[in-house]
Amino acid sequence: MNSTLRWCVLIPCLNEEMAIGAVVKSTLRLGVPVIVIDDGSDDRTPEIVNALPVTLLRHSHRQGKGEALRTGFREALRQGFDAVVTMDGDGQHLAEDIPRLVDVGKRFPDHIVIGARLLQRDQQPKGRRRANALADWGISWACAQPVADTQSGQRWYPRSALELVELDAQNFVFEAAVLIAASRDKGLGIVSVPIASRYEGSFRLSHFNPVRDVMRIALYTTRQVFRHGQVWASYSRSRAAPLIVDDTYSHRIA
């Protein structure tokens, strides 16, 4: 384990005045730098964040989650970080899960680590669960390796993944694009750490559009499958069991 790695937490957000203060404060208690990217909020989100000891970057107008992450990646690279942990600002991701992702990221240095929502899955709405399963199937194919939860926004990205910052992908497609390019162009593996599914409670409505954004991701993923070639070999590799690391041991599960 490389204990000298410099890493920070990136939190993209849009109109999260109800949750962002608690999210950032809980993350700061870990004693690590925090970068918040406000994607053009028109509520009190930037005011709340600006009162906290973090780096706040603001978009003058809404540009989408992909551009918010891109802004954060650029800033992390500029500040010389070796890796980042991303998490959403609506309270669905817990700061207490971050040390587990970091631990696995250090143990698997050439991997992206995903906080996979494999626990308490009964909380997931059935429609969302089916959509996520479809996304996992297609994006895993494009990655030519199995991925347990391609739609989770809580991730550890090593520097080699951050360097994919200029990928031509926008909005929610950007997160899928990074997984695919990291897998196919950088040769990175993907490992998942189980976290809880959190849908119950006073979360604001998701910015994810289940029709528009699913179509965008599906079209991008399909193009990548054929761009990289070896279509059936890639499919075969993607059907293996994903690598899951559960705190003290690693195993592959179907």
Side-chain angles (χ1 to χ4, degrees), residues 118-164:
L118 303 176
L119 308 178
Q120 301 174 17
R121 298 186 72 180
D122 56 314
Q123 288 195 23
Q124 285 188 334
K126 291 182 179 179
R128 178 61 63 87
R129 192 183 309 173
R130 286 192 292 268
N132 288 348
L134 181 61
D136 292 348
W137 177 81
I139 294 172
S140 293
W141 189 351
C143 289
Q145 64 175 311
V147 185
D149 185 357
T150 60
Q151 300 305 292
S152 173
Q154 191 167 35
R155 302 178 179 182
W156 163 273
Y157 290 107
R159 187 178 182 89
S160 54
L162 299 180
E163 292 170 350
L164 296 167

Side-chain angles (χ1 to χ4, degrees), residues 41-238:
S41 293
D42 53 18
D43 66 357
R44 295 180 58 250
T45 295
E47 177 185 341
I48 294 168
V49 175
N50 198 45
L52 299 171
V54 303
T55 299
L56 172 61
L57 306 174
R58 296 192 63 191
H59 292 166
S60 60
H61 59 281
R62 183 175 178 178
Q63 299 181 43
K65 187 178 184 183
E67 196 61 32
L69 286 170
R70 187 175 283 114
T71 296
F73 282 15
R74 289 176 181 143
E75 180 64 15
L77 290 169
R78 188 190 70 80
Q79 293 191 30
F81 288 107
D82 300 305
V84 305
V85 173
T86 60
M87 62 187 295
D88 294 340
D90 61 359
Q92 293 198 48
H93 297 147
L94 298 180
E96 65 191 49
D97 288 324
I98 290 176
R100 298 170 58 222
L101 271 69
V102 174
D103 176 67
V104 173
K106 291 177 177 179
R107 290 161 56 191
F108 292 78
D110 296 320
H111 289 67
I112 290 173
V113 183
I114 296 178
R117 297 161 295 179
L118 303 176
L119 308 178
Q120 301 174 17
R121 298 186 72 180
D122 56 314
Q123 288 195 23
Q124 285 188 334
K126 291 182 179 179
R128 178 61 63 87
R129 192 183 309 173
R130 286 192 292 268
N132 288 348
L134 181 61
D136 292 348
W137 177 81
I139 294 172
S140 293
W141 189 351
C143 289
Q145 64 175 311
V147 185
D149 185 357
T150 60
Q151 300 305 292
S152 173
Q154 191 167 35
R155 302 178 179 182
W156 163 273
Y157 290 107
R159 187 178 182 89
S160 54
L162 299 180
E163 292 170 350
L164 296 167
V165 62
E166 303 303 338
L167 280 171
D168 185 17
Q170 305 299 323
N171 299 301
F172 290 96
V173 179
F174 182 76
E175 290 175 294
V178 172
L179 291 181
I180 296 167
S183 300
R184 303 303 290 262
D185 300 332
K186 295 276 191 174
L188 298 184
I190 299 174
V191 58
S192 295
V193 173
I195 64 173
S197 301
R198 303 183 69 237
Y199 286 86
E200 295 180 354
S202 57
F203 302 123
R204 56 110 177 105
L205 292 176
S206 174
H207 298 304
F208 185 87
N209 184 301
V211 176
R212 180 196 61 205
D213 291 314
V214 166
M215 287 299 299
R216 287 172 173 172
I217 292 171
L219 289 171
Y220 182 89
T221 301
T222 301
R223 289 196 300 269
Q224 296 306 306
V225 166
F226 288 98
R227 184 177 80 83
H228 287 286
Q230 298 183 325
V231 172
W232 297 117
S234 298
Y235 179 78
S236 179
R237 292 198 295 272
S238 74

